[in-house]
Amino acid sequence: MKSKHIIALDQGTTSSRAVLFNEHGEIQGIAQQEFRQIFPHSGWVEHDPHEILSTQLGTLTKVINEHKIHPSEIAALGITNQRETALVWDRKTGEPVYNAIVWQDKRTASICEDLKAKGLENHVRKNTGLVIDSYFSATKIKWILDNVPQAKEKALRGELAFGTVDTWLIYNMTGRKVHVTDYTNASRTMLFNIQSLEWDHELLKVLDIPQSMLPEVKPSSYHFGDYLTEDHLIPITGVAGDQQAALFGQACFEPGMAKNTYGTGCFMLMNTGDKTQLSKNGLITTIAWGLEDKVEYALEGSVFIAGAAVQWLRDSLHIIDHSKDSEYFATKALGSNEVYVVPAFAGLGAPYWDMYARGAIFGLTRDTGKEHIIKATLESLAYQTKDILNAMQEDAGLKLTRLKVDGGASANNILMQFQADILGTDVERPEVIESTAMGAAYLAAIQIGLWKKEDIVKNRKIQKCFKSEMSDEVRSKLYNGWQKAVKRTMNWID
């Protein structure tokens, strides 16, 4: 019998990746391709939908060819994706009517203010688990319908389709036959009732979005459709938004288990089981996954700018050549110069939810050098994580003994040690930090009976556990400085 492989398509904010797994859940290969970030105006962020598709399919083809895999040897595909990013396209032509509006985009802040003025905050919180914010998809759809010529009329005639990135990929990979999403991505639109598992009619009406635009919603482990390549059909059987996929890949299957992913943004999720738990501390409630006729939920805290802050050091300030150089320079500034970087380039996420905050650097003195700014930028990831963990522990009524970490920046030892220090909690890094891709692969494999949830727990190995070495006094002093810095960035834009 030919060996069976699972391929996870990991469509992220700055790059598309394809990760090849063998039947034992071991990574055999990775292909990656970056794509353009489009900034038409201050605070606006867009992607070209065709680039999203071409880079994703390009990496899939590359990983298959490089490892000489015949399509018949691929048992299934899993998809995990940047969430909240909104795409609208013409059903007849398949052509997007506008660029993808990215989750970081701030252009719809005024629409959000109108919704708040109409008293919809409680309805949104209770039914979608979210807060009213330009981060989510709903107001992006409204903006496209209101601002693209003929879009509203076409939508009313049923000629337009909306999707998050998973929906766009599946639609194109199935020859434009399947218009579908999964529970996790639907729960990020601010249009989906996470209790009844249906699109919310009141919000659609208020935002003037025809329901005919919206995809069908299915469990995260499900046969979504088939991708035809070389006359061979490969089933697409797992779909989850990137952070829920990472929660699954980290085997956070019990209530109270939490993980933090250090990617473009920084996202902490805690499994809360089969019941929704609404936050009193600025967190959001989201669907963790739909599996085996059961939906599980999670509390989530979102940091909008994490790894993107390191990219800012590289691409905008040009004070490092490569992202990994940040660790080297940070070691040169250890134990000196209390500088704080608040990377609120896209406002502040949980627990502050301030769309009008902007980035700043505090504590500069004459002897501040680039190494201090680099170190402070790395530390901002850890401080923002502490903000969220404090809120999460208060909501859940428990104290975490260890935090599971993954994502690109979790490979940075300086950052992970500081994270353990500022939390006063063990930080556990697995051998394989590709938790997002692993989660998508496992969801796909479970649907076809190749693996079980127990296999994820069994296969997970710890590479390093970072333990706090900081005194309570120093921790408190540093964190108080961070909170003071954050307060001074808030409400910067009138």
Side-chain angles (χ1 to χ4, degrees):
M1 189 176 80
K2 287 185 177 179
S3 62
K4 287 293 184 183
H5 298 83
I6 301 284
I7 297 180
L9 304 182
D10 184 354
Q11 205 300 300
T13 307
T14 56
S15 69
S16 297
R17 305 162 76 249
V19 185
L20 175 69
F21 295 86
N22 65 17
E23 64 263 49
H24 306 296
E26 298 163 337
I27 292 177
Q28 301 295 289
I30 299 175
Q32 179 168 350
Q33 188 175 345
E34 291 193 2
F35 54 87
R36 287 183 305 147
Q37 305 296 302
I38 303 166
F39 308 106
H41 301 286
S42 177
W44 292 29
V45 190
E46 297 176 2
H47 292 157
D48 181 338
H50 291 300
E51 282 187 34
I52 290 175
L53 179 64
S54 64
T55 55
Q56 188 61 83
L57 295 184
T59 60
L60 172 59
T61 301
K62 185 177 181 184
V63 83
I64 289 172
N65 291 342
E66 281 184 350
H67 296 273
K68 297 179 172 58
I69 305 293
H70 189 271
S72 63
E73 297 177 77
I74 304 168
L77 295 172
I79 294 175
T80 183
N81 55 284
Q82 54 166 315
R83 308 169 303 170
E84 298 94 22
T85 295
L87 301 95
V88 176
W89 62 91
D90 188 301
R91 290 185 185 276
K92 290 179 184 174
T93 65
E95 281 297 306
V97 302
Y98 191 79
N99 275 340
I101 301 182
V102 181
W103 55 274
Q104 299 161 320
D105 190 282
K106 294 286 137 189
R107 79 186 68 183
T108 63
S110 62
I111 301 174
C112 295
E113 294 301 343
D114 289 342
L115 294 176
K116 291 175 184 177
K118 289 175 180 173
L120 283 164
E121 286 181 284
N122 285 339
H123 180 87
V124 168
R125 165 73 66 173
K126 181 181 174 186
N127 292 285
T128 73
L130 309 178
V131 297
I132 295 176
D133 195 88
S134 55
Y135 173 38
F136 305 109
S137 314
T139 56
K140 305 181 199 306
I141 306 170
K142 178 171 175 56
W143 188 93
I144 289 173
L145 294 182
D146 289 348
N147 290 275
V148 174
Q150 280 90 51
K152 178 65 68 70
E153 293 80 3
K154 284 186 174 181
L156 290 171
R157 292 196 298 265
E159 295 173 12
L160 297 187
F162 154 74
T164 41
V165 169
D166 58 306
T167 304
W168 170 246
L169 292 176
I170 294 168
Y171 175 78
N172 284 281
M173 292 173 73
T174 58
R176 301 179 183 170
K177 292 183 181 131
V178 180
H179 185 212
V180 68
T181 189
D182 89 301
Y183 287 141
T184 69
N185 281 293
S187 74
R188 312 299 299 189
T189 60
M190 210 176 83
L191 292 172
F192 191 68
N193 188 311
I194 62 173
Q195 314 282 355
S196 65
L197 305 180
E198 297 172 327
W199 297 112
D200 189 286
H201 298 296
E202 182 173 341
L203 290 171
L204 289 172
K205 184 178 178 182
V206 168
L207 289 162
D208 204 14
I209 297 172
Q211 187 164 346
S212 61
M213 292 181 69
L214 306 179
E216 283 188 76
V217 187
K218 300 295 183 184
S220 310
S221 190
Y222 181 83
H223 187 181
F224 292 88
D226 300 293
Y227 174 54
L228 177 62
T229 179
E230 290 184 32
D231 297 323
H232 185 79
L233 289 172
I234 306 173
I236 303 166
T237 55
V239 172
D242 51 12
Q243 303 313 318
Q244 287 95 330
L247 189 72
F248 199 81
Q250 285 271 35
C252 294
F253 299 140
E254 301 298 324
M257 289 185 170
K259 69 89 204 173
N260 196 31
T261 297
Y262 301 79
T264 303
C266 204
F267 301 89
M268 186 185 293
L269 274 75
M270 177 189 284
N271 185 326
T272 60
D274 58 6
K275 291 185 175 61
T276 56
Q277 185 166 337
L278 298 181
S279 171
K280 298 182 180 69
N281 295 285
L283 303 180
I284 57 179
T285 303
T286 195
I287 294 179
W289 49 73
L291 183 67
E292 298 164 352
D293 299 321
K294 184 181 176 185
V295 170
E296 295 193 43
Y297 297 91
L299 277 172
E300 175 173 335
S302 309
V303 172
F304 295 152
I305 301 293
V310 180
Q311 291 174 331
W312 167 71
L313 296 176
R314 181 192 70 190
D315 301 337
S316 297
L317 297 191
H318 303 291
I319 58 176
I320 54 174
D321 294 325
H322 306 283
S323 294
K324 66 178 187 301
D325 296 341
S326 60
E327 183 170 2
Y328 167 79
F329 285 108
T331 61
K332 303 298 181 186
L334 287 179
S336 63
N337 213 313
E338 286 177 22
V339 175
Y340 292 92
V341 171
V342 183
F345 307 142
L348 289 168
Y352 307 106
W353 292 108
D354 184 349
M355 293 183 285
Y356 306 107
R358 287 297 179 267
I361 305 175
F362 297 95
L364 297 176
T365 56
R366 181 63 183 81
D367 61 338
T368 300
K370 73 175 186 178
E371 64 272 18
H372 302 106
I373 293 171
I374 293 167
K375 173 174 172 277
T377 302
L378 282 180
E379 289 174 346
S380 73
L381 278 63
Y383 284 126
Q384 291 176 99
T385 298
K386 183 175 175 65
D387 288 339
I388 290 171
L389 185 58
N390 288 349
M392 204 167 267
Q393 289 181 150
E394 191 170 329
D395 278 333
L398 54 85
K399 180 170 172 56
L400 279 188
T401 55
R402 65 186 53 215
L403 178 66
K404 298 180 180 184
V405 299
D406 55 56
S410 70
N412 188 310
N413 290 322
I414 292 288
L415 171 58
M416 290 301 99
Q417 183 57 55
F418 186 74
Q419 186 70 86
D421 286 339
I422 205 67
L423 292 180
T425 298
D426 288 358
V427 169
E428 190 179 271
R429 183 171 66 198
E431 271 187 15
V432 179
I433 62 174
E434 298 287 347
S435 302
T436 302
M438 287 194 77
Y442 276 118
L443 286 166
I446 286 170
Q447 174 62 24
I448 62 170
L450 185 61
W451 299 327
K452 296 183 174 67
K453 279 171 78 173
E454 304 83 73
D455 296 325
I456 306 177
V457 179
K458 186 173 63 180
N459 290 346
R460 189 174 180 276
K461 295 179 176 64
I462 306 305
Q463 186 262 331
K464 186 168 183 179
C465 183
F466 296 85
K467 295 184 174 292
S468 177
E469 299 169 354
M470 184 178 283
S471 70
D472 291 343
E473 182 183 1
V474 171
R475 182 182 305 117
S476 178
K477 180 171 181 270
L478 290 175
Y479 188 57
N480 286 341
W482 163 256
Q483 290 180 305
K484 185 163 68 171
V486 168
K487 282 175 187 167
R488 293 184 180 182
T489 69
M490 296 177 81
N491 297 307
W492 184 258
I493 302 296
D494 294 328

